[in-house]
Every structure is written in structure tokens, then in C-alpha cells.
Amino acid sequence: MANTIFDTDLDRNAANFVALSPISFLVRSARVWPGRTAVVHGARRFTYAMMLERCRRFAAALAARGIGRGDTVAVLAPNTPAMLEAHYAIPMAGGVICAINTRLDAATVAFILDHSEARALLVDQELAPLAAAALALARNKPLVIDIADEAAPPNPPIGAIEYEALLASGDPAHPMHLPDDEWQAISLGYTSGTTGDPKGVVCHHRGAHLNAVANVLGLGLTPESVYLWTLPMFHCNGWTYTWGVTLAGGTHVCLRRVDPALIFALIEQEAVTHLCAAPVVMTMLIHAPADVRRRPPRKVRIATGGAAPPTAVIGGMEALGFEVMHLYGLTEVYGPATFCAWQPTVAQMSTEMRARFTSRQGVPSHMLEDATVMDADGHSVPADATTMGELMLRGNTVMKGYLKNPEATRKAFAGGWFHTGDLGVLHPDGYIEIRDRSKDIIISGGENISSLEIEQVLFRHPAIMEAAVVAQPDARWGEVPHAFVTAKPGHEESLTPDDVIAFCRQHLAGYKVPKHITFGALPKTSTGKIQKFELRRRVAG
Ligand code: ADP
């Protein structure tokens, strides 16, 4: 094809084309705000200048140990400065960060160390016993780096070197590796693997950069923002806020464990403005004992996602003085991919209406090209809030693919869309609402029943704190809904199955009313999701 006049002598060069990478955010923030507090961890505080220097030392120390382009460096740590720094230093060395879910069992951690071919493993002192057990099982023997922390239980070190000593050994003037190709891998995140071995999701510098920008815009972060790390950084790299907060020049407030007393105290002490959390964390905050629950001194914006937030929980957080934003996403799309974007009418809505509006998963985030709901033939379903289909995503913030799994990658991208496996509807205004994961839908007497719809009703019962509904095999109907319910403190004795069923009858069509009710605590994943597979196992009969 003939070139146009705009193609001749107008090639890309170093002056006008730079690979997108979130590493650039730290370099800029250290330049613009060298003295601003970048990280708070208990009594420790680092400025942006210090954070950049520490990351450069860390990267240099990895390079000195032969770790470079394309090498995986795994991290097993709660939300501490080292975990945050790893998000910059490992890519600065050319490596790929693999942040491992800290609540996995040793066998799964061993699987990840082998599958990812990790060259090094950073281990927080608290997690040394888990790491030691995993290393004993793994074939791969990475370099182990201990992260000591006074706030951690006093477990003995298991590695070759301690983190601060490693930093001290690194040259802060060592050249940083900025990727020449933005398609280069930056992170590897394993899915929960409820249906077999976990899949390794490979993300690139470009997508991480773009999704961080989208999240800064979505949550409204500024240099004055103070972000509390309630969301695990191992979960989709903290939904890319590990990079986003730095881009905004805000302050990262680390948090070793999700404890309502600590969260409310830090919100006050550090003047926190933003945080992210799964809906179960919001439930914990709402039901925290009265002596730890405090109204934030100023409005705190909380982004929630990872599971559908019940409207009652959104309303409860508003009443506590929080402003709730809703995000939806998956590991495969760098965390958040859709936002329930604000509309001018939202402010005038009643709390109840606003909570209903906010409970929808929304529209594509700023950097996602498209999101829609499709039928089995690959056509968008009508925007009637009723016809269900599979939620599909496409754009620059979709993973490269699954590590060493071309078949799963091909399947996930069939037809030029990423298939989420989530079922939803399109509202007339174009907003998406998830009705279920495809594997969670209940099919009773040939009718589809959304487990989420039943859960929304249960959450509105004044004596119910949490609820999850799964399909129970049934000889007559095929499947029937079984509700697992946790009563609010003080109602454990008085709440009966008949109460719950009567309440559901008032608010749901008869065939959707749960046929079985079980009371008790709900099993949860480390990211705060209710383990429906475990509940299904209990009712499998
Ligand atoms: P895992 O598979 O381990 O749960 P992910 O974090 O990737 O790991 O989970 C993504 C899934 O979580 C989505 O496919 C969806 O089912 C669920 N999810 C995430 N955000 C929301 C949300 N806002 N509303 C409903 N479901 C959500």
C-alpha cells in the first residue's frame, strides 16, 4: 500500500514515543513532590524521594543477583512498604512481579513458585512458616529474601538475606530498566483456581499504566488524597492502586491486617480520604462494635467491588459517613474494568434510590474500550434490564493471556472479546448489571434464578448480617435455592427459618423463595468473597 504524506519521514523516535509504564509515575512524583509523604507504615514514613531511592536500590540489588528481563519475582507479604516497593523495583529491574495470595495453602503456593519459575521470593516475617512449607514442596528453589517487621509475629528468618540489607547493597544510581516495549510483562497474578490448578494471568506495562490512570480518574485521587490499604495488594496488584496512588502523588497508608478498630483509628489519625474494599469489609465496618466505630471526620470515599455489594450495605456505609463507589472487574482485566459512573441526578436521589443505582456494575472505565452483554450467538442483548447474557470486555486493559496455557487464552478471547463468565443484563441507559456468575445461577423448574437477587432481599432483612444463596440439587425441580444466613449480633437466637422465608415471600416471586435455610458463619476467600463452591459442596447431598 502506498504511504501517505503523513507516513514519510514521520517515524516514531525517542523524542515522541515512550513505552507506557507505571514506573514513570514514581519517577515523576519523586521529582514533583520529593518531600511529600509517600508511604506510612505505623511510625515509619517515607517521602517520594526516599521511595524512589529505595526502589532503585532494590532494583539494582536484583540486577546484581542476575535477575532481569522476563524473570519472575514472587512476593508473599501483607500490605507493607516492601510489598508496595516491589511493584516498582521488580519491573525497574525488568522483572515480573508475582504477588501471591497470602491465605493460600502451602501446596498451592508451591504450585505457583514452580509454574511461575520464580527466581526470587520475598517473604514477610509473618508468612515465613507458610513460605517454608511451600519451598519444601516446590521443585523450584528461588533466592529467598526475608522482610523483617517489628509489627509481625517473631518468626525466625528463612532466607539468604534480609530486605533492608538487600536495599543497602543496591546502588541507587544503577540505571533503571524502562521497558522499550510496553507490551512487556509487568505482573503475573494467579486466579483462585476453584476449578483446578490456578491460571496465571499475565499483564503488561501498557495495561498497568492505563488502568492506573483510569482508577485515579474513577476514584478522583489528587495529590491531597490519603489512601488506606484495606484491599490486599496481592489482589490484582491492589486493583492497580499500587501504581495509581503514586501517579496522583497521594499518600499510601499501609495496613497489615483488616481490623475495623485499626481502620477507624487510621482514618482519623492519618486523615484518610480514600480506600477500597470488598463488600464483606464494608459489612465488617458497619457491624463493628460501637466503641470502635467512628464517623470519619471528613467524607471518605470507598470503592467497592470483587463481589456484588448489596444495596443495604451501600446504604449502611452512607449512613456511617462514607461515599460508596462501585467497581467491577477480574484479575484478567487488571482489577476494575467497569465503574458505576456518577450521573448528575445521583445527588438528588433518596439514599435507597442511590444505593440501588450504585449497586449496578456500570459502564466501561475510562481506559476500557468496550463492555457489553452478549447472547450465545455473539450479539448484544436488548437493553431491557431483563435479557441475560455474558458480560464481554475488550480494550487495552485486558491481560496478555494465561501463562503457559494457550488453550485457555484462546477460549477466553474467542470472537475478539474477553469472556468474563459473568451473567448480566443491560439497562436502557446502557449500564450493566451482573445477575450471577455463570456457575452460580440457579435453574429451578427450567427458570433461571439469580442468586444475587435473593441475596439482595436477604440483606434487607433487619436481623440478617450476611447471606449467600446456592443451588441445591432437588429431585422435583432440578435445583432449588438454599440460603446460608448469618444473623446480626444479638439476633442469633431469635431469627428463625420461617421468619426468613416469610420475608422472602413478601419480596420475591414464589419460585425464587429459598427452600432451605442454614444459619451460621460463611466461608470466605482471602479477598473477602464468599466461597460458594464450599457451600455448594455442603448441599450436594
Ligand atoms: P477470583 O476468580 O479469584 O474471585 P477475581 O478477583 O478475578 O478472582 O474475581 C473476578 C470475579 O469476581 C468476577 O468474574 C465476578 O464474578 C466477581 N466480581 C468482581 N467484581 C464484582 C462486582 N462489582 N459485582 C459482582 N461480581 C463481581
Side-chain angles (χ1 to χ4, degrees), residues 104-297:
L104 293 173
D105 56 286
T108 311
V109 175
F111 168 85
I112 291 173
L113 291 176
D114 283 338
H115 189 260
S116 68
E117 300 178 29
R119 295 276 317 276
L121 169 66
L122 278 94
V123 183
D124 182 90
Q125 195 173 340
E126 181 173 350
L127 296 155
L130 171 64
L135 287 162
L137 295 171
R139 287 185 306 280
N140 179 19
K141 301 293 170 207
L143 165 74
V144 178
I145 301 158
D146 290 298
I147 307 164
D149 189 342
E150 280 170 11
N155 295 317
I158 59 165
I161 185 166
E162 199 282 318
Y163 181 66
E164 293 296 332
L166 181 88
L167 297 200
S169 76
D171 173 7
H174 185 82
M176 271 183 283
H177 174 101
L178 284 165
D180 39 25
D181 180 358
E182 57 194 15
W183 187 249
Q184 195 179 308
I186 187 168
S187 69
L188 171 63
Y190 282 82
T191 61
S192 62
T194 49
T195 51
D197 278 338
K199 292 199 283 273
V201 173
V202 181
C203 292
H204 49 69
H205 282 252
R206 173 184 172 78
H209 178 110
L210 294 173
N211 212 43
V213 172
N215 280 304
V216 167
L217 292 171
L219 198 52
L221 296 180
T222 72
E224 280 161 0
S225 300
V226 180
Y227 181 94
L228 179 63
W229 271 106
T230 32
L231 181 83
M233 292 188 201
F234 66 68
H235 196 205
C236 314
N237 306 107
W239 295 353
T240 64
Y241 285 103
T242 44
W243 298 305
V245 174
T246 303
L247 163 63
T251 301
H252 297 265
V253 179
C254 293
L255 185 70
R256 183 168 267 285
R257 118 189 90 82
V258 173
D259 168 359
L262 214 55
I263 293 172
F264 282 112
L266 280 171
I267 288 176
E268 209 168 87
Q269 278 163 30
E270 301 295 340
V272 168
T273 56
H274 295 84
L275 53 111
C276 294
V280 286
V281 175
M282 300 203 295
T283 304
M284 276 170 72
L285 296 179
I286 293 169
H287 297 287
D291 57 328
V292 305
R293 207 170 49 215
R294 292 180 218 171
R295 241 195 126 66

Side-chain angles (χ1 to χ4, degrees), residues 307-330:
T311 51
V313 175
I314 297 173
M317 286 304 282
E318 277 208 8
L320 257 181
F322 291 79
E323 190 177 273
V324 182
M325 278 200 36
H326 182 192
L327 324 168
Y328 157 89
L330 308 85

Side-chain angles (χ1 to χ4, degrees), residues 75-100:
V75 189
L76 198 54
N79 293 343
T80 60
M83 177 61 143
L84 180 65
E85 288 156 0
H87 279 81
Y88 295 89
I90 295 167
M92 274 179 188
V96 177
I97 175 168
C98 176
I100 302 178

Side-chain angles (χ1 to χ4, degrees), residues 190-193 235-236 304-309 326-332 361 420-422 434 437 452 527 529:
Y190 282 82
T191 61
S192 62
H235 196 205
C236 314
T304 194
H326 182 192
L327 324 168
Y328 157 89
L330 308 85
T331 308
E332 286 86 338
Q361 282 67 19
T420 65
D422 289 311
I434 302 271
R437 274 189 168 190
L452 283 182
T527 51
K529 289 181 206 199

Side-chain angles (χ1 to χ4, degrees), residues 388-432:
M388 273 213 258
E390 185 177 4
L391 176 51
M392 306 284 204
L393 308 170
R394 62 180 204 91
N396 294 310
T397 53
V398 174
M399 66 170 174
K400 289 176 79 148
Y402 297 112
L403 188 70
K404 304 176 187 168
N405 199 340
E407 197 194 328
T409 305
R410 254 194 314 276
K411 227 170 117 193
F413 292 151
W417 290 84
F418 170 64
H419 297 233
T420 65
D422 289 311
L423 301 178
V425 298
L426 278 177
H427 281 267
D429 60 3
Y431 277 55
I432 290 164

